[in-house]
Amino acid sequence: MGKAEDFPHASVIEGVRFTAQVGVPNVIQGLFKKRELPTKVAGVARADLFAFTLVQGLVRKYGPGPFWVRVATDEALLLSDPADIEFVLGGSPDPFASDPPAKKAGMSAFQPDALTLSRGDLWRNRRDFAEAVLQTGRPLHSLALRMVKVAAQEAAGLTGEIGYDDLNAAFQRLTRRVVLGDAAADDTALTDLLGDLMAAGNKTPGKPAKGYDDLVARLASYVDAGEKGSLVSLVAQAPHDDATAVAGQLVHWLFAMGDTLPANLVRALAVIGSHPEVRTEVYAELEGKVLTRAKEVASLDYLGGVILEAMRLWPTTPLFGRVTTREVAFPDGRVLPEGSQVLIHNLHNHRDRDRVPFADRCAPGEWARGDAASSWSFNFFSHGPQGCPGAGMSVFLGQAFLAALLSRATPELVSPSLNPSKPLPYGLDLFAVRIGLTS
């Protein structure tokens, strides 16, 4: 049987470059809460391009199989081959747990009880709860009709020229109403508190940040109220006990729906507003649809494909990792010791021209009519047992929100410039996006 040393090693200098060009920019921009100025600077400096180019060169030199690369003071095994990615993600959370030290130290600031940080029986407990409330795998959530209504109401407030902050504020309100109920619609203090805790997570403190107990108490009050039509109304029937830490699970839903999803939606709008062919097909699909009907919203496969393409082209999590819970033998016999870190660079894998024919262009049809959803190269929702339990609901909310918006306005990308006849950039600064909405 092989040993860990049998995997190729990138050089020390290449490790320094990987740290400087891949690791450091992610940290400076904010691992959990994006910092506006550093993000703008990274965009101007084309940090994503340099990160992609470096990883591409390393994969071509040492791949396509796994190889070691130094990140700061430690080595991690970098994956790019879909078969290796499937082996690792298919083996999560054991023997490949999703709580490597840096991630755990950061997320502990604002969601120490997160499903993604859980292992063993506790992971199963919290996963069962999440799947029950989010109704993972169902074609339509039982609350889909109300979600459509809320999405339309919140999208109606966006007019004229908008940016990320405008769309994010509208979607944060939608998120509070969907998760917690209408009573939370104007509870911006809750969202602000979560934002502060996420910003604290950027510093990877390794423990709950000041204010976390207050956040949990506020969420618990909404759970206790269990407003009809909200996700918290489903908690009582879902499997849970004290170990589930229900309020702690809601934190991740608010974080993912209220920050990450709006980032993807503003980028999807940027594509629709700059790609005439995409815009034409989106509006052709909307023609004749009754957008107050949940099934018709869910049938907007091409619009869903635009959202998924925004996630692929500009992943909000460009790099993520796993850590081995015990010694693991890869299919070829090479062995990873317990405690080894494994990295998956989404930005490279999503845009790898050696594997993805549509790597640098927007191709919603690959999701609507092709097999992109089955590819282990695309991991914005992850794959396997730890795939996002709310993935289907997230895309549906995005479809409902954008469909309502597009049904009354035509988007035009004001800035920055995206040319559909040229390879799309590796980064798209959220804070630079401006979109004009014409009725």
Side-chain angles (χ1 to χ4, degrees):
M1 182 174 286
K3 299 180 180 179
E5 297 81 47
D6 293 336
F7 291 105
H9 287 255
S11 71
V12 172
I13 292 176
E14 289 166 331
V16 171
R17 291 184 63 200
F18 186 90
T19 300
Q21 293 176 226
V22 179
V24 171
N26 281 319
V27 173
I28 292 176
Q29 291 177 70
L31 293 172
F32 306 105
K33 184 71 173 178
K34 289 298 180 187
R35 302 181 177 105
E36 185 169 351
L37 181 58
T39 299
K40 287 183 175 180
V41 172
V44 172
R46 299 191 297 172
D48 291 301
L49 169 63
F50 289 113
F52 172 85
T53 302
L54 173 65
V55 175
Q56 180 187 57
L58 292 175
V59 169
R60 288 177 174 174
K61 181 177 180 179
Y62 297 106
F67 59 90
W68 293 103
V69 63
R70 185 164 293 279
V71 187
T73 59
D74 299 316
E75 276 198 313
L77 198 68
L78 187 67
L79 308 183
S80 65
D81 189 287
D84 294 320
I85 294 172
E86 181 177 4
F87 174 71
V88 169
L89 297 184
S92 295
D94 184 74
F96 295 100
S98 61
D99 61 345
K103 177 181 178 180
K104 187 173 184 178
M107 292 184 71
S108 293
F110 63 100
Q111 48 174 335
D113 296 317
L115 168 63
T116 190
L117 298 183
S118 306
R119 295 187 180 189
D121 291 341
L122 186 57
W123 177 83
R124 185 73 268 167
N125 175 305
R126 292 170 174 172
R127 180 75 188 196
D128 288 345
F129 170 77
E131 290 188 355
V133 177
L134 302 178
Q135 298 178 9
T136 308
R138 285 185 54 167
L140 272 180
H141 196 281
S142 61
L143 301 176
L145 188 59
R146 181 176 181 276
M147 292 177 188
V148 167
K149 180 180 178 180
V150 171
Q153 290 171 345
E154 298 306 334
L158 296 176
T159 59
E161 186 175 301
I162 65 169
Y164 168 68
D165 288 340
D166 304 300
L167 191 146
N168 189 37
F171 213 89
Q172 290 281 10
R173 197 170 192 273
L174 178 156
T175 297
R176 292 191 298 270
R177 293 178 66 188
V178 167
V179 177
L180 307 174
D182 288 342
D186 297 317
D187 194 353
T188 55
L190 177 81
T191 299
D192 292 342
L193 176 56
L194 176 55
D196 291 342
L197 294 171
M198 289 164 58
N202 288 343
K203 300 177 182 179
T204 59
K207 61 182 180 180
K210 182 180 179 181
Y212 176 73
D213 290 342
D214 182 34
L215 176 69
V216 168
R218 294 174 75 112
L219 291 173
S221 69
Y222 286 113
V223 173
D224 291 341
E227 185 179 308
K228 184 179 180 180
S230 68
L231 290 179
V232 294
S233 72
L234 305 178
V235 167
Q237 284 72 45
H240 68 282
D241 54 26
D242 289 344
T244 310
V246 169
Q249 305 316 304
L250 302 187
V251 176
H252 189 78
W253 304 352
L254 293 172
F255 156 60
M257 289 169 55
D259 276 273
T260 306
L261 188 51
N264 294 313
L265 296 185
V266 80
R267 287 168 171 152
L269 270 179
V271 169
I272 297 170
S274 61
H275 287 55
E277 290 185 8
V278 172
R279 182 164 58 237
T280 296
E281 191 149 355
V282 165
Y283 278 98
E285 185 179 56
L286 286 171
E287 186 70 28
K289 288 289 194 297
V290 181
L291 299 179
T292 55
R293 297 175 181 170
K295 286 186 178 179
E296 296 207 26
V297 171
S299 73
L300 298 171
D301 294 333
Y302 190 83
L303 180 59
V306 177
I307 296 169
L308 294 168
E309 272 294 83
M311 296 178 179
R312 179 189 69 84
L313 288 162
W314 303 291
T316 53
T317 304
L319 180 72
F320 72 102
R322 294 289 185 261
V323 60
T324 53
T325 60
R326 50 186 166 81
E327 184 177 271
V328 182
F330 268 66
D332 64 3
R334 290 181 291 185
V335 176
L336 272 185
E338 179 181 349
S340 298
Q341 292 196 55
V342 179
L343 293 178
I344 297 171
H345 192 239
N346 273 341
L347 178 59
H348 170 266
N349 297 340
H350 291 186
R351 303 291 289 271
D352 183 3
R353 292 184 295 276
D354 294 338
R355 293 187 184 276
V356 183
F358 51 94
D360 295 329
R361 59 183 174 87
C362 183
E366 297 293 335
W367 302 89
R369 299 179 288 272
D371 59 358
S374 64
S375 173
W376 287 80
S377 288
F378 308 142
N379 285 290
F380 41 81
F381 281 134
S382 191
H383 273 99
Q386 282 199 299
C388 175
M393 190 182 73
S394 294
V395 174
F396 176 77
L397 284 170
Q399 289 170 307
F401 188 85
L402 290 187
L405 183 62
L406 296 170
S407 68
R408 60 173 179 77
T410 301
E412 187 73 29
L413 181 62
V414 176
S415 66
S417 175
L418 291 178
N419 188 336
S421 66
K422 295 181 179 180
L424 290 169
Y426 293 100
L428 182 57
D429 175 13
L430 288 173
F431 302 106
V433 174
R434 301 296 300 175
I435 298 166
L437 298 174
T438 304
S439 300

